[in-house]
Every structure is written in structure tokens, then in C-alpha cells.
Amino acid sequence: MKRVLLLMATSLLALVVSACGTSADGSTLEKIKAEGKVKIGIANEKPYGYMETDGTVTGEGPEIAKAIFKEMGIEEVEGEVVDFGALIPGLQSERFDLVTAGMDIRPERCEEADFADIEIQYGEGMIVQKGNPKNLHSYEDIAANPDVIVSVMAGANENNFLKELGVDDSQIQTANDIASNVAAVASGRADATTMTEATTREAYADADQSKVELVEPFEQPVIDGKSVMSYGAAASRKGDDELREAYNEGLQELKDSGELLNILEQFGFSEANLPDGSMTTEDRCAGK
């Protein structure tokens, strides 16, 4: 009986520790400070978070994180690249301490992770075959033509946007990275690929432009009468309140000093991509 009670007590303690975002060695923030190193998860998606050929992690998300953690006295930021759809599962399994991939805050994601304050806002874009033979200038155009095949990164917002606008599942292919999406269009396996506006520009710059082209003009999707806008933020494990609150404090300092805009501008963003305060993390988690 004593053994049963001991096992029950041990299990209860483990649950409490997990719920509080801590381990036997203390909270995630305490661990990071003790080690002098933080590990972040990215999806190798320019310009949000990606790995240079020398192994350096960069992008708007990682550089914001570097600035915040540097003020905490933490100089080493180590990145791990996983598929976009594996970012939150990787966070939950403690492969890394934080996701800094410009990830849009959405209600279903808020159920799986805790998001920091908004650090960036951005719209959508599209790449098509050279000459735009299907005359595609919006996601609505894809929905209107059942013969159009679109390639989308697995786990990305665009999957939901397309379906909400009436695109059939049979029209949607998925790939694990941006390069594979663009390759599908270049090879003729897909008519278009959709992604955020900044990613579209980066992907097009790296693509074989004799086979694909950037859609201009492009009409931003309108869902339920509202133009689609995404709001990116860092994500931590559920219950890691100490880390999230410290991160938010550092982010606010970057906003107040103007350094946040300086970081965003390094990656092709502008003042229009700064969070304007009209939307909050709580609003996004509530489905607004």
C-alpha cells in the first residue's frame, strides 16, 4: 500500500511540475540563465527564421530573441531547424526552449503553446508558373477554378485560408519546406504556391525565375468580410509563465527604443509590419 501511495504522490508531483513549466532543475528561464544558452526552434523559412550555411541562426524572430536574451546576460542562442508543423510538438517535447519563427497566433495553436506579445504583422503572397497561365491573382481565383493545384507548406496558415475560401482538399498539395513548394510550381506539378508576403519575396529571389513568377498585383484574402492579416510571436511551453513574462518585458523595451523596427528592416520589413496595438495575443487566441 505504501508503494502505491508513493507512486501516486510521485505522479502527482510530476504533473504539478509539468503544469508549471518546470523540471527538477527549476523553471525553463532558470535553466537558460544557469546554462547561459537558449535553444530556439525555427522552420528554415526566410525571412522569419532560418539557418545560414555556416550554421548561424538568423531571421527576424531569432534576431529579436538574441536582442532580448542578450539583455538578460544570455549570449548563446542555438537554433534547431524542424518542419513548420513540428515546431509546437518539438517545443512540447523540450527539443528547444522557445519557437521564434514568426508563427501566427491562432486559437488552435494557443491550446498547445503560450504565445508572447505580438512582434510582427504581415499579409499573404503567391508564386505561379511563368506567364501566370491560369491568371491567378488571389486565393479566391484558386477557389473559382477547380483545375488549379496549389502547393502549401504543411501546417501553415494558408491551408486554412484556402479551405475557408472554398478551395477543395483535392486542389491542395503539401510540402515540408518553401523550396519544395516552389519546386512543385517550377516543375508543373502545381499551378501556384501560397505563403506570406515576405516569404514570397525571399522564395522568388532564390527561384529559377525562367520558370516561375511573383503574382503582381496580388489581392489579399478576405474571409468573413475581413482582410487576412497574420500576427507573429514567439511561443513557449504551456505554463512557462516566467519565461514568457521576461520575454515580453524585453520585447517591450525593443519596441520603446525603436530597435524592433531596426531588426525588422534588416529582413526587408517596414514600419507597416510593426504591431500597431490594435490586436493583442489575447485577441488572437480568442479568434479575433
Side-chain angles (χ1 to χ4, degrees):
M1 185 64 179
K2 289 182 179 179
R3 178 179 175 81
V4 172
L5 290 174
L6 178 61
L7 288 172
M8 290 176 65
T10 302
S11 298
L12 179 60
L13 177 61
L15 286 171
V16 170
V17 167
S18 176
C20 294
T22 62
S23 65
D25 297 322
S27 72
T28 300
L29 183 59
E30 290 172 346
K31 175 183 76 70
I32 290 170
K33 287 183 174 180
E35 296 177 354
K37 178 178 74 174
V38 58
K39 190 168 185 178
I40 60 174
I42 58 172
N44 222 28
E45 180 183 3
K46 292 182 178 181
Y48 301 99
Y50 58 99
M51 197 79 75
E52 298 278 23
T53 54
D54 64 358
T56 301
V57 61
T58 189
E60 65 84 14
E63 294 302 330
I64 290 171
K66 288 177 185 179
I68 290 172
F69 285 112
K70 184 176 181 179
E71 288 300 311
M72 297 183 197
I74 301 163
E75 297 282 351
E76 187 175 354
V77 176
E78 178 183 327
E80 180 172 352
V81 176
V82 299
D83 294 340
F84 189 87
L87 284 170
I88 289 181
L91 178 68
Q92 293 172 323
S93 65
E94 300 189 17
R95 287 180 63 176
F96 26 80
D97 306 306
L98 202 69
V99 168
T100 59
M103 180 179 282
D104 182 35
I105 306 164
R106 297 181 64 86
E108 64 272 19
R109 292 172 181 164
C110 294
E111 294 178 2
E112 303 294 332
D114 283 341
F115 284 86
D117 291 340
I118 296 168
E119 64 188 37
I120 187 172
Q121 59 185 44
Y122 50 85
E124 297 292 299
M126 182 160 57
I127 290 173
V128 294
Q129 293 175 11
K130 190 69 175 179
N132 198 359
K134 297 291 177 69
N135 194 28
L136 304 173
H137 290 276
S138 68
Y139 292 0
E140 288 87 347
D141 287 342
I142 298 173
N145 187 343
D147 293 330
V148 172
I149 300 298
V150 58
S151 183
V152 186
M153 189 162 67
N157 283 352
E158 287 74 22
N159 290 279
N160 294 325
F161 295 160
L162 291 163
K163 291 175 184 178
E164 288 175 19
L165 289 166
V167 178
D168 191 79
D169 285 342
S170 63
Q171 294 179 257
I172 302 174
Q173 298 177 356
T174 58
N176 289 329
D177 55 62
I178 294 299
S180 298
N181 289 131
V182 177
V185 177
S187 67
R189 289 181 285 112
D191 301 294
T193 180
T194 65
M195 55 197 79
T196 71
E197 56 181 338
T199 303
T200 303
R201 291 194 300 270
E202 291 280 352
Y204 180 65
D206 293 337
D208 182 348
Q209 296 178 12
S210 69
K211 295 182 179 179
V212 299
E213 70 178 57
L214 194 65
V215 173
E216 293 180 320
F218 174 74
E219 184 180 337
Q220 289 294 322
V222 175
I223 298 175
D224 295 331
K226 298 180 180 179
S227 179
V228 168
M229 183 66 73
S230 296
Y231 298 85
S236 58
R237 279 184 289 278
K238 280 289 187 182
D240 250 339
D241 297 338
E242 188 180 12
L243 174 59
R244 179 174 49 80
E245 289 167 5
Y247 197 89
N248 281 343
E249 288 179 10
L251 179 61
Q252 188 60 51
E253 290 178 7
L254 294 183
K255 293 176 180 179
D256 293 342
S257 68
E259 182 60 22
L260 179 60
L261 178 58
N262 290 337
I263 292 172
L264 294 182
E265 287 179 336
Q266 294 174 32
F267 298 96
F269 296 104
S270 68
E271 194 169 352
N273 298 107
L274 282 173
D276 59 14
S278 64
M279 185 69 68
T280 66
T281 295
E282 292 72 23
D283 288 337
R284 291 295 285 175
C285 286
K288 296 182 181 179

